[in-house]
Amino acid sequence: MRTEDAAIPDRDRPPLGYFEGREHRFPIRVFYEDTDFSGVVYYANYLRFLERARSSFFRLAGIGHAELLERDPPLAFVIRKINLDYRSSARIDDVLSVVTTYDTFKGARLLVTQRIERAGDVILTADSEAACIDLDGRPRRAPKDMMEKLKPFLL
């Protein structure tokens, strides 16, 4: 945890979701700003929901993106590719759960499976490949301490 985070009272910290076994579950409420003129979630906003869940998984597992940038060399993650399957639309005021599993780490590549559920029904699935890179965009193997933190969640 970053020193700045330690100064924030628990009641004021944004929720990070929770783990059920290997799965990370991240709840999201659909707000007006997430929707188009008809009250349906705008398709690109699902990518934001997925990103929030992936980042929250990392933070809850003890890996902060800011700490990655403070390493020598600084590291970051980028999405190399993503495949989405939209099954049904979410609407304003829906409560969604983004379920994320980090499946395998191969070199610099991290394979991720996600789904968005509403009341237990899957409305979207996503398979993505993230890459660990340095700030020049070159692929880098994940540091050993990060791998140790992710190990309990990988296949």
Side-chain angles (χ1 to χ4, degrees):
M1 178 185 311
R2 292 177 60 99
T3 321
E4 297 84 9
D5 289 351
I8 300 170
D10 285 343
R11 70 179 183 280
D12 293 333
R13 287 193 191 146
L16 296 174
Y18 57 94
F19 288 110
E20 283 185 351
R22 288 187 53 242
E23 292 185 336
H24 174 258
R25 301 185 73 85
F26 184 71
I28 292 179
R29 164 96 48 199
V30 176
F31 291 108
Y32 179 77
E33 68 182 11
D34 300 319
T35 64
D36 60 18
F37 69 93
S38 68
V40 172
V41 171
Y42 182 66
Y43 77 96
N45 286 333
Y46 291 101
L47 291 170
R48 293 176 188 264
F49 299 162
L50 296 170
E51 179 61 38
R52 287 180 203 158
R54 287 190 305 270
S55 293
S56 293
F57 182 118
F58 257 42
R59 182 173 283 284
L60 197 58
I63 304 163
H65 287 291
E67 287 91 0
L68 290 175
L69 289 173
E70 293 168 356
R71 288 179 172 272
D72 186 23
L75 299 175
F77 279 89
V78 294
I79 295 298
R80 187 175 167 279
K81 62 181 165 182
I82 189 164
N83 182 39
L84 304 175
D85 182 12
Y86 296 92
R87 297 182 181 185
S88 104
S89 298
R91 297 185 164 277
I92 194 165
D93 288 333
D94 280 353
V95 174
L96 308 175
S97 182
V98 183
V99 182
T100 303
T101 56
Y102 281 87
D103 298 325
T104 56
F105 228 127
K106 296 179 181 179
R109 297 180 312 139
L110 177 58
L111 304 180
V112 186
T113 302
Q114 293 180 284
R115 67 183 183 274
I116 299 179
E117 299 176 348
R118 179 184 51 228
D121 294 328
V122 176
I123 66 169
L124 178 142
T125 60
D127 295 304
S128 60
E129 182 179 305
C132 185
I133 62 168
D134 63 22
L135 296 187
D136 291 324
R138 289 186 303 267
R140 294 285 188 159
R141 286 193 175 274
K144 287 185 181 189
D145 60 319
M146 179 197 302
M147 291 300 299
E148 285 301 313
K149 290 176 181 176
L150 287 178
K151 193 174 183 177
F153 304 105
L154 301 174
L155 289 175

Short mmCIF file of all heavy atoms in Angstrom, two decimals, residues 8 17 23 27-28 50 53-54 58 60 67 72 74 76 85 88 94 111 118 137 145 149 151 154:
data_model
loop_
_atom_site.label_atom_id
_atom_site.label_comp_id
_atom_site.label_asym_id
_atom_site.label_seq_id
_atom_site.Cartn_x
_atom_site.Cartn_y
_atom_site.Cartn_z
N ILE A 8 -5.58 7.50 4.32
CA ILE A 8 -7.00 7.60 4.00
C ILE A 8 -7.78 6.65 4.90
O ILE A 8 -7.51 5.45 4.92
CB ILE A 8 -7.26 7.26 2.52
CG1 ILE A 8 -6.49 8.20 1.61
CG2 ILE A 8 -8.75 7.31 2.21
CD1 ILE A 8 -6.50 7.79 0.14
N GLY A 17 -13.59 -4.39 -4.60
CA GLY A 17 -14.18 -5.69 -4.88
C GLY A 17 -13.63 -6.72 -3.91
O GLY A 17 -13.10 -6.39 -2.86
N GLU A 23 -11.29 -15.99 -8.62
CA GLU A 23 -12.06 -14.92 -9.25
C GLU A 23 -12.08 -13.65 -8.41
O GLU A 23 -12.27 -13.72 -7.19
CB GLU A 23 -13.52 -15.36 -9.48
CG GLU A 23 -13.69 -16.43 -10.50
CD GLU A 23 -15.16 -16.73 -10.75
OE1 GLU A 23 -16.00 -16.48 -9.87
OE2 GLU A 23 -15.44 -17.25 -11.85
N PRO A 27 -18.05 -4.92 -8.12
CA PRO A 27 -19.39 -4.39 -8.38
C PRO A 27 -19.36 -3.00 -9.00
O PRO A 27 -18.50 -2.18 -8.66
CB PRO A 27 -20.03 -4.36 -6.99
CG PRO A 27 -18.89 -4.27 -6.05
CD PRO A 27 -17.72 -4.92 -6.71
N ILE A 28 -20.28 -2.76 -9.91
CA ILE A 28 -20.42 -1.46 -10.57
C ILE A 28 -21.90 -1.13 -10.68
O ILE A 28 -22.69 -1.98 -11.08
CB ILE A 28 -19.78 -1.47 -11.98
CG1 ILE A 28 -18.27 -1.59 -11.88
CG2 ILE A 28 -20.18 -0.23 -12.78
CD1 ILE A 28 -17.56 -1.63 -13.21
N LEU A 50 -14.26 -2.98 -17.49
CA LEU A 50 -13.29 -4.07 -17.49
C LEU A 50 -11.93 -3.60 -16.95
O LEU A 50 -11.28 -4.30 -16.16
CB LEU A 50 -13.14 -4.66 -18.89
CG LEU A 50 -14.38 -5.33 -19.47
CD1 LEU A 50 -14.16 -5.64 -20.95
CD2 LEU A 50 -14.79 -6.57 -18.70
N ALA A 53 -11.92 -3.11 -13.19
CA ALA A 53 -11.87 -4.40 -12.51
C ALA A 53 -10.46 -5.00 -12.56
O ALA A 53 -9.97 -5.51 -11.54
CB ALA A 53 -12.88 -5.36 -13.12
N ARG A 54 -9.79 -4.93 -13.71
CA ARG A 54 -8.43 -5.47 -13.80
C ARG A 54 -7.50 -4.72 -12.85
O ARG A 54 -6.70 -5.33 -12.14
CB ARG A 54 -7.90 -5.39 -15.24
CG ARG A 54 -8.51 -6.40 -16.19
CD ARG A 54 -7.78 -6.45 -17.53
NE ARG A 54 -7.67 -5.17 -18.18
CZ ARG A 54 -8.56 -4.66 -19.03
NH1 ARG A 54 -9.65 -5.36 -19.34
NH2 ARG A 54 -8.37 -3.49 -19.60
N PHE A 58 -5.47 -6.12 -9.35
CA PHE A 58 -4.04 -5.92 -9.07
C PHE A 58 -3.85 -5.27 -7.71
O PHE A 58 -3.05 -5.72 -6.89
CB PHE A 58 -3.42 -5.04 -10.16
CG PHE A 58 -2.60 -5.79 -11.16
CD1 PHE A 58 -3.02 -7.00 -11.67
CD2 PHE A 58 -1.41 -5.26 -11.61
CE1 PHE A 58 -2.27 -7.68 -12.60
CE2 PHE A 58 -0.64 -5.94 -12.55
CZ PHE A 58 -1.07 -7.16 -13.04
N LEU A 60 -5.85 -5.07 -5.11
CA LEU A 60 -6.27 -5.94 -4.01
C LEU A 60 -5.26 -7.07 -3.79
O LEU A 60 -5.08 -7.53 -2.67
CB LEU A 60 -7.66 -6.51 -4.31
CG LEU A 60 -8.44 -7.09 -3.15
CD1 LEU A 60 -8.64 -6.08 -2.03
CD2 LEU A 60 -9.78 -7.61 -3.62
N GLU A 67 3.27 1.92 -8.08
CA GLU A 67 4.51 1.27 -7.65
C GLU A 67 5.28 0.68 -8.83
O GLU A 67 6.50 0.66 -8.84
CB GLU A 67 4.23 0.17 -6.62
CG GLU A 67 3.84 0.71 -5.26
CD GLU A 67 2.33 0.89 -5.10
OE1 GLU A 67 1.57 0.62 -6.05
OE2 GLU A 67 1.92 1.32 -4.01
N ASP A 72 12.78 0.29 -11.15
CA ASP A 72 13.89 0.54 -12.06
C ASP A 72 14.14 -0.73 -12.86
O ASP A 72 14.66 -1.71 -12.30
CB ASP A 72 15.14 0.95 -11.28
CG ASP A 72 16.27 1.36 -12.20
OD1 ASP A 72 15.98 1.75 -13.36
OD2 ASP A 72 17.45 1.29 -11.77
N PRO A 74 11.02 1.51 -14.81
CA PRO A 74 9.58 1.65 -14.61
C PRO A 74 8.82 0.70 -15.54
O PRO A 74 9.22 0.49 -16.69
CB PRO A 74 9.30 3.11 -15.00
CG PRO A 74 10.63 3.79 -14.93
CD PRO A 74 11.65 2.75 -15.26
N ALA A 76 4.80 -0.89 -16.87
CA ALA A 76 3.38 -0.62 -17.04
C ALA A 76 2.76 -1.80 -17.76
O ALA A 76 3.47 -2.67 -18.27
CB ALA A 76 3.17 0.67 -17.83
N ASP A 85 -17.57 -10.18 -26.41
CA ASP A 85 -18.81 -10.76 -26.90
C ASP A 85 -19.95 -10.14 -26.10
O ASP A 85 -20.14 -10.46 -24.92
CB ASP A 85 -18.79 -12.28 -26.72
CG ASP A 85 -20.05 -12.95 -27.25
OD1 ASP A 85 -20.85 -12.31 -27.96
OD2 ASP A 85 -20.24 -14.15 -26.93
N SER A 88 -26.00 -9.01 -24.02
CA SER A 88 -27.20 -8.22 -23.76
C SER A 88 -26.77 -6.89 -23.16
O SER A 88 -25.64 -6.75 -22.71
CB SER A 88 -28.18 -9.00 -22.89
OG SER A 88 -28.24 -8.61 -21.59
N ASP A 94 -28.64 -0.30 -13.32
CA ASP A 94 -28.32 -1.72 -13.14
C ASP A 94 -27.12 -1.86 -12.20
O ASP A 94 -26.23 -1.01 -12.18
CB ASP A 94 -27.95 -2.39 -14.47
CG ASP A 94 -29.15 -2.78 -15.31
OD1 ASP A 94 -30.30 -2.65 -14.84
OD2 ASP A 94 -28.93 -3.20 -16.46
N LEU A 111 -2.57 -13.36 -19.72
CA LEU A 111 -3.86 -13.67 -20.32
C LEU A 111 -4.96 -13.52 -19.27
O LEU A 111 -4.84 -14.04 -18.15
CB LEU A 111 -3.86 -15.08 -20.89
CG LEU A 111 -2.75 -15.35 -21.92
CD1 LEU A 111 -2.82 -16.78 -22.42
CD2 LEU A 111 -2.81 -14.37 -23.07
N ARG A 118 -25.15 -9.44 -14.64
CA ARG A 118 -26.24 -8.67 -14.02
C ARG A 118 -27.17 -9.70 -13.41
O ARG A 118 -27.72 -10.55 -14.11
CB ARG A 118 -26.98 -7.83 -15.06
CG ARG A 118 -28.15 -7.03 -14.46
CD ARG A 118 -28.95 -6.27 -15.51
NE ARG A 118 -29.32 -7.18 -16.59
CZ ARG A 118 -29.16 -6.90 -17.89
NH1 ARG A 118 -28.67 -5.75 -18.28
NH2 ARG A 118 -29.52 -7.78 -18.81
N GLY A 137 8.21 1.05 -24.33
CA GLY A 137 7.31 0.17 -25.05
C GLY A 137 7.85 -1.23 -25.30
O GLY A 137 7.22 -2.02 -25.99
N ASP A 145 8.64 -10.56 -7.54
CA ASP A 145 7.75 -10.27 -6.42
C ASP A 145 6.30 -10.12 -6.89
O ASP A 145 5.36 -10.51 -6.20
CB ASP A 145 8.20 -9.04 -5.63
CG ASP A 145 8.26 -7.78 -6.46
OD1 ASP A 145 8.70 -7.82 -7.63
OD2 ASP A 145 7.87 -6.72 -5.93
N LYS A 149 2.92 -12.60 -5.92
CA LYS A 149 1.62 -12.10 -5.49
C LYS A 149 0.49 -12.62 -6.38
O LYS A 149 -0.62 -12.85 -5.91
CB LYS A 149 1.60 -10.58 -5.47
CG LYS A 149 2.48 -10.00 -4.36
CD LYS A 149 2.53 -8.49 -4.43
CE LYS A 149 3.43 -7.96 -3.32
NZ LYS A 149 3.59 -6.50 -3.41
N LYS A 151 0.67 -15.52 -8.19
CA LYS A 151 0.73 -16.99 -8.28
C LYS A 151 -0.52 -17.70 -7.74
O LYS A 151 -1.02 -18.61 -8.41
CB LYS A 151 1.98 -17.50 -7.56
CG LYS A 151 2.31 -18.92 -7.82
CD LYS A 151 3.65 -19.27 -7.17
CE LYS A 151 4.05 -20.69 -7.49
NZ LYS A 151 5.36 -21.01 -6.93
N LEU A 154 -3.32 -17.65 -10.56
CA LEU A 154 -3.07 -18.15 -11.91
C LEU A 154 -3.45 -19.62 -12.01
O LEU A 154 -3.46 -20.35 -11.02
CB LEU A 154 -1.62 -17.93 -12.30
CG LEU A 154 -1.12 -16.48 -12.28
CD1 LEU A 154 0.38 -16.44 -12.56
CD2 LEU A 154 -1.87 -15.64 -13.29
#
